[in-house]
Amino acid sequence: MRLPLARIILPGCLALLLACGSMAQSQPTIAISPPAGPVERAVFDVRISGLDPQSAYVIEILFAGEVLFRSHETSDADGAIAYPVSSSAGDAPGIYTLRALSQDQLIASADFELTAGSQVIVSPPTARIGDVQSIHIEDLSAQTAYRLEITADETGQVAYSREHSSDETGQIDFEIISEAGDAPGLHVVALYDQAGTLMAEGHFSLETPKPDALEVRLRPDSIPAGLAVEIALRALEAFASVTAQITSSEGVLIDTLLARAGSDGELSMSFETARSLPAGEYAVDIYVEAEKRSSATLVVIEPDEDAPEPAPQPVAAPAPTERPETRLASLTIEPQAAPIGASHLVRVRGLAAREAITLDVSFGGRSVYQTSKTADAEGRVDIELVTDRSDASGDYNVTVLREAGNQPSGTLTAKAVSAVEFVAASLGTADVIESRLVDGAADFAFDGAAGSILLISLASEDFDPALTLLDRDDELIALNDDSRGQNDAAVGPLALPYSGRYRLEISAKPLMMAQGAIDGDFVLTISEVSLLPLEFEADMPFSLNSDSPARYFALPVETGDSLSVTLDSDGQLDTLLQVIAPDGSQLAFDDDSGSGLDAELSNLIFDQTAAYVLAVSSFDSGASGRGSLSIRRNPVQALDEGDARITLNDKAIRDLVVFDAAEDEHLILNLRKLKGHVEDLYVTATVEGMEVMSYSTMGVPEELPLAFVMPMSGRVVVTLEKFGYDDAITLAVSLERPQ
């Protein structure tokens, strides 16, 4: 949009418009944007700063050494003068100089250019990443195709290249929206004809907010267990990937939240505490692009059980209405990111009963969709948002607009489907790539965001597939051959450690031929999943169907934990259980160990504190049904308190004991067989996940002393595991500490 002319100088001169001031600096400077514009229709934003407040100055514009215009101006209270400059009819193309003088002394100068022919005009000339900018080009041939390129000046990378056709008046008008990943700084816009001749050129700049003053606020910061907390962040980089980790004072991971900031650098996430969460202080650590940037403290208090019951209300009187400002609403989007064309379920919780809200979806700082809904009697609203093929890829900010109370928001990411190396299609919330092996291998590169939780699976009917995930330095992140008891490979769900490029290597294990497969079709699926919270010692319902064939739960464990997981679908499903380690590898799997066709995992042993993933699925991925999940902590025997008794059988093939030891301490672990027999026994001792002793034997003697020296202090986890289908065995386990 052009600025109107306030006063016109004679033809051949330039017009100056007085505008608002800017902040003063230590030395006078002149900034002119854009640096060039077309003859007779250019508009420049001139800002002079660093002047003395309320002081008189002379402003001159020179061309070819001749003063074309001179005016006397006074700086504002901040020591600034601002002028929009417009060219007028008769101005000659070339370099012009704008000068500021004080008492006939030159204190600052800057150049700008008027160019002949067509010129690209970008408005506004400077914008933040994510903002909308308009591009206007005139004096072109009517209804003619041109190619327009936008190049980052500092990196030389082409950020945009597309054909545009002029209209019947020889003009091109369209809008651009910068996205996350675009380089900040000066960008060059160039228009070429079909022969490759440069027809017009312009400039604009992109800015990103400084990441120095990240603001974190908990609303409220003290609650009883079972309520929700809003985590509000400001002063983030535009579209930054953010992870919030909530941990106890002992460092146990309680929950992990993932989201992405909007173009304004702001973000709001909601964390709903479990009713069983013990009172105490919890750390809320904020990671931006996998780098810890800030933290806050959440205080969970004991509920006030002595609070008096509210007095009964007369029957005729209406029930008291809770004030909206006292209710903390939350918003979740599932999935948060998906290819364009997918469906996103937006859930709003914590509203007042029958409260009216408006859901606003904005992109690039502009509202692109709104809908109004009324909450149900429990203060809940569910809205399905479906992206369209015509929608732009990128991050959409979804905000709940309320008359009173907080206005939670979240980010919905619409991803363009990659088809760089393979034929790709969108299936639900996944990227599906179909291709073939070439000389026994295939590679696929993709871009991921830090903290995104991905499940990568590889299936083939022609060969036994193997899958390897590598980082940007070709270092191994995870690998897998067989998963879920099948030949197909899978990695994850696992959280990506950084934002950037990742690479997948696809290969074949030998199948019916010694050298392995050299060709064959395969299907690679990359899905972004959400982790649901778990409650220990409770029955939690779940449901599976063709649209949601699996449920993934965050499983935080501590060193020495022994867990049992049970599924009960009452015969509706043939359930599967899988435990995934933080590196994306499979720790444990079961199909039919439970009742009927349900899965069960007994005595899961964990030798270090970490966040695992528990996956619940069905043998038939298209099956529908409901069930309940129960996860319970088994009692752990501590040798510091006396001898332990361990029984291993085909139902419980492993168990553990724990004790504390000091660095360089000499220890003897004594195993004494009480009854039974096993063919193979494997004994390991670990400290913080590091193995300090291991022993395996075919058959177990009546007495088995195992001596070792501690390389470090800490809690020792001793795991005993039997192999083979044979009789049960009962062992007495004791510890000696020789002086």
Side-chain angles (χ1 to χ4, degrees):
M1 180 180 297
R2 295 186 182 182
L3 298 177
L5 298 182
R7 41 188 172 155
I8 305 296
I9 311 304
L10 295 175
C13 300
L14 298 171
L16 296 177
L17 305 178
L18 183 60
C20 59
S22 59
M23 296 299 294
Q25 300 178 358
S26 57
Q27 295 294 329
T29 59
I30 300 177
I32 302 177
S33 180
V39 168
E40 298 186 0
R41 60 179 182 277
V43 178
F44 302 93
D45 181 19
V46 177
R47 299 181 181 275
I48 310 172
S49 55
L51 305 172
D52 293 330
Q54 305 293 343
S55 299
Y57 294 90
V58 174
I59 308 299
E60 294 181 342
I61 296 178
L62 293 80
F63 180 71
E66 179 184 354
V67 176
L68 301 179
F69 173 79
R70 176 182 286 124
S71 70
H72 297 269
E73 306 296 343
T74 301
S75 60
D76 61 18
D78 293 324
I81 298 173
Y83 282 99
V85 174
S86 299
S87 60
S88 57
D91 288 335
I95 303 296
Y96 289 74
T97 300
L98 187 143
R99 305 195 310 178
L101 298 93
S102 175
Q103 298 179 353
D104 296 329
Q105 297 295 318
L106 178 66
I107 59 172
S109 67
D111 294 337
F112 60 95
E113 183 180 5
L114 292 181
T115 58
S118 300
Q119 177 71 20
V120 177
I121 301 174
V122 183
S123 180
T126 300
R128 287 169 47 129
I129 291 179
D131 288 347
V132 178
Q133 293 172 283
S134 299
I135 291 184
H136 175 78
I137 311 172
E138 294 181 351
D139 294 338
L140 301 171
S141 299
Q143 297 180 335
T144 303
Y146 296 88
R147 180 170 55 87
L148 188 137
E149 286 188 355
I150 300 177
T151 305
D153 186 64
E154 183 175 348
T155 64
Q157 180 179 2
V158 177
Y160 180 95
S161 180
R162 189 171 299 175
E163 281 197 357
H164 290 268
S165 295
S166 58
D167 60 18
E168 61 277 4
T169 64
Q171 299 186 41
I172 293 177
D173 287 283
F174 67 100
E175 291 181 339
I176 58 172
I177 304 175
S178 53
E179 299 179 347
D182 288 339
L186 184 67
H187 286 67
V188 178
V189 184
L191 186 75
Y192 300 91
D193 63 13
Q194 295 300 305
T197 303
L198 180 64
M199 303 300 295
E201 193 173 27
H203 305 80
F204 67 89
S205 295
L206 292 178
E207 297 179 345
T208 55
K210 295 182 179 179
D212 299 335
L214 176 60
E215 298 179 21
V216 182
R217 185 178 178 185
L218 305 183
R219 303 171 180 162
D221 57 7
S222 179
I223 58 164
L227 297 185
V229 174
E230 181 191 17
I231 305 172
L233 306 177
R234 296 184 61 188
L236 289 160
E237 297 89 339
F239 308 113
S241 174
V242 178
T243 303
Q245 288 189 348
I246 298 93
T247 56
S248 68
S249 56
E250 292 80 20
V252 178
L253 181 64
I254 306 300
D255 203 351
T256 299
L257 308 177
L258 305 173
R260 192 179 294 276
S263 62
D264 58 359
E266 296 187 4
L267 171 65
S268 177
M269 297 182 285
S270 180
F271 165 57
E272 187 168 350
T273 59
R275 292 188 301 272
S276 59
L277 192 66
E281 292 188 352
Y282 293 82
V284 181
D285 295 325
I286 305 299
Y287 295 81
V288 181
E289 305 294 347
E291 177 185 354
K292 185 175 179 180
R293 287 272 299 277
S294 188
S295 61
T297 300
L298 171 65
V299 178
V300 176
I301 60 177
E302 295 284 357
D304 187 4
E305 299 179 354
D306 298 328
E309 293 290 333
Q313 298 292 323
V315 175
T321 303
E322 188 174 16
R323 291 180 302 169
E325 62 269 21
T326 66
R327 299 192 65 88
L328 180 65
S330 63
L331 178 145
T332 60
I333 303 173
E334 184 178 351
Q336 184 266 327
I340 292 175
S343 171
H344 301 257
L345 179 60
V346 179
R347 292 187 174 98
V348 185
R349 299 293 184 265
L351 299 168
R354 311 303 179 188
E355 179 181 349
I357 66 167
T358 297
L359 191 77
D360 178 78
V361 182
S362 62
F363 185 75
R366 295 192 309 168
S367 179
V368 295
Y369 176 77
Q370 282 192 349
T371 183
S372 297
K373 296 290 182 179
T374 301
D376 61 17
E378 298 181 3
R380 302 177 304 183
V381 170
D382 289 343
I383 302 172
E384 183 182 21
L385 296 178
V386 180
T387 53
D388 186 79
R389 296 292 178 184
S390 61
D391 291 330
S393 62
D395 289 326
Y396 291 77
N397 193 55
V398 181
T399 304
V400 177
L401 305 178
R402 308 171 65 196
E403 290 187 1
N406 71 311
Q407 297 187 340
S409 64
T411 301
L412 183 155
T413 301
K415 301 190 298 183
V417 179
S418 172
V420 176
E421 300 179 36
F422 304 126
V423 177
S426 175
L427 178 64
T429 60
D431 287 341
V432 181
I433 299 97
E434 299 179 1
S435 189
R436 289 180 58 84
L437 289 182
V438 178
D439 296 329
D443 279 1
F444 177 70
F446 68 95
D447 291 323
S452 298
I453 301 176
L454 296 188
L455 173 63
I456 307 171
S457 58
L458 177 64
S460 175
E461 296 181 355
D462 298 331
F463 58 90
D464 183 1
L467 181 63
T468 303
L469 176 62
L470 304 171
D471 67 10
R472 55 193 167 199
D473 298 319
D474 283 340
E475 296 292 333
L476 176 68
I477 296 178
L479 58 84
N480 182 259
D481 172 24
D482 299 329
S483 179
R484 298 199 327 153
Q486 303 175 12
N487 287 334
D488 290 339
V491 168
L494 83 166
L496 296 181
Y498 63 87
S499 295
R501 181 57 57 97
Y502 294 82
R503 190 166 66 87
L504 293 168
E505 288 185 348
I506 298 166
S507 59
K509 291 192 65 178
L511 182 63
M512 303 300 292
M513 44 187 166
Q515 74 272 21
I518 60 173
D519 60 18
D521 295 331
F522 64 83
V523 177
L524 176 68
T525 306
I526 304 176
S527 309
E528 187 167 7
V529 303
S530 300
L531 300 185
L532 303 172
L534 271 176
E535 287 190 38
F536 289 83
E537 315 299 331
D539 293 335
M540 293 169 292
F542 70 88
S543 62
L544 302 177
N545 52 55
S546 57
D547 293 328
S548 300
R551 296 290 182 181
Y552 300 97
F553 298 85
L555 179 61
V557 300
E558 301 179 38
T559 299
D561 266 352
S562 173
L563 305 179
S564 291
V565 185
T566 305
L567 296 180
D568 183 5
S569 67
D570 196 24
Q572 295 185 41
L573 297 165
D574 182 359
T575 55
L576 305 177
L577 266 177
Q578 189 180 26
V579 178
I580 309 299
D583 64 358
S585 62
Q586 177 175 290
L587 175 71
F589 171 78
D590 185 69
D591 184 0
D592 296 327
S593 294
S595 175
L597 297 178
D598 282 320
E600 181 178 286
L601 289 168
S602 300
N603 287 37
L604 279 170
I605 308 301
F606 298 92
D607 56 14
Q608 59 181 321
T609 299
Y612 288 75
V613 174
L614 181 67
V616 177
S617 59
S618 174
F619 185 82
D620 179 4
S621 60
S624 297
R626 298 177 179 273
S628 64
L629 164 67
S630 173
I631 179 166
R632 307 186 186 280
R633 284 191 168 94
N634 303 316
V636 176
Q637 303 180 78
L639 295 183
D640 302 297
E641 301 172 0
D643 296 355
R645 176 173 291 202
I646 299 294
T647 298
L648 304 177
N649 51 45
D650 290 341
K651 186 75 171 179
I653 65 172
R654 68 181 65 84
D655 206 342
L656 64 83
V657 294
V658 297
F659 61 89
D660 293 316
E663 184 178 357
D664 296 329
E665 185 176 4
H666 291 255
L667 304 170
I668 300 176
L669 185 71
N670 289 306
L671 307 181
R672 183 166 57 90
K673 184 167 67 174
L674 299 180
K675 64 177 181 179
H677 171 77
V678 296
E679 293 181 358
D680 299 300
L681 181 69
Y682 187 39
V683 184
T684 60
T686 60
V687 180
E688 296 182 5
M690 184 181 73
E691 188 175 280
V692 297
M693 183 273 291
S694 64
Y695 182 83
S696 61
T697 178
M698 296 181 62
V700 180
E702 297 299 320
E703 301 280 347
L704 180 60
L706 302 174
F708 60 100
V709 178
M710 285 290 294
M712 58 190 297
S713 298
R715 168 141 289 206
V716 183
V717 179
V718 178
T719 304
L720 299 94
E721 184 173 3
K722 85 173 194 71
F723 292 88
Y725 293 93
D726 43 39
D727 296 337
I729 186 172
T730 300
L731 301 170
V733 184
S734 61
L735 182 67
E736 291 183 43
R737 301 177 187 264
Q739 299 295 326

